[in-house]
Amino acid sequence: ESSSTLCSLLESSSTLCSLLESSFTLCSLLESSFTLSSLLESSFTFCSLLLESSSTLCSLLESSFTLCSLLESSSTLCSLLESSFTLCSLLESSFTLCSLLESSSTLCSLLESSFTLCSL
């Protein structure tokens, strides 16, 4: 009878050991699950930072294109101003030519008067 009781206790002990082993396996799986969750959380954080950085970079690129457009407009304005200065220079030359022609006309008039005087 004692032997039977001992066998029964051993059998129960074996069952308990098996349950404990299953429990440890379950704990190990849970630990792995928590580790995986932590990695996923880190991955989401990294993705969020990447998206935020990407948005900032896009904003900077947009500003850069705007600046380039403004520089292009500035170049066009400078070209127009250069053309305007050239036109002003041509007008100045034209006024000088008109002044010379006016002086020439006066000289011609004086010469004509001189010839008339000589003729007299």
Side-chain angles (χ1 to χ4, degrees):
E1 190 174 333
S2 297
S3 175
S4 175
T5 302
L6 181 61
C7 284
S8 178
L9 286 172
L10 285 173
E11 189 177 349
S12 298
S13 176
S14 175
T15 303
L16 180 61
C17 285
S18 178
L19 287 172
L20 284 172
E21 188 179 356
S22 298
S23 177
F24 281 123
T25 303
L26 179 61
C27 284
S28 178
L29 287 173
L30 284 172
E31 187 178 358
S32 298
S33 175
F34 281 122
T35 303
L36 179 61
S37 293
S38 178
L39 286 173
L40 284 173
E41 186 178 356
S42 298
S43 176
F44 281 123
T45 302
F46 181 63
C47 286
S48 177
L49 287 173
L50 276 178
L51 285 173
E52 188 176 347
S53 300
S54 176
S55 175
T56 302
L57 179 62
C58 286
S59 178
L60 287 172
L61 284 173
E62 187 177 356
S63 299
S64 177
F65 281 123
T66 302
L67 179 62
C68 286
S69 177
L70 287 172
L71 285 173
E72 187 177 357
S73 299
S74 176
S75 175
T76 303
L77 179 62
C78 286
S79 178
L80 287 173
L81 285 172
E82 187 178 356
S83 299
S84 176
F85 281 123
T86 303
L87 179 61
C88 286
S89 177
L90 288 172
L91 285 172
E92 186 179 358
S93 298
S94 176
F95 282 123
T96 302
L97 179 62
C98 284
S99 178
L100 287 173
L101 285 173
E102 188 178 356
S103 298
S104 176
S105 174
T106 303
L107 180 61
C108 285
S109 178
L110 287 172
L111 283 173
E112 187 179 355
S113 298
S114 177
F115 281 123
T116 302
L117 183 61
C118 284
S119 175
L120 290 175

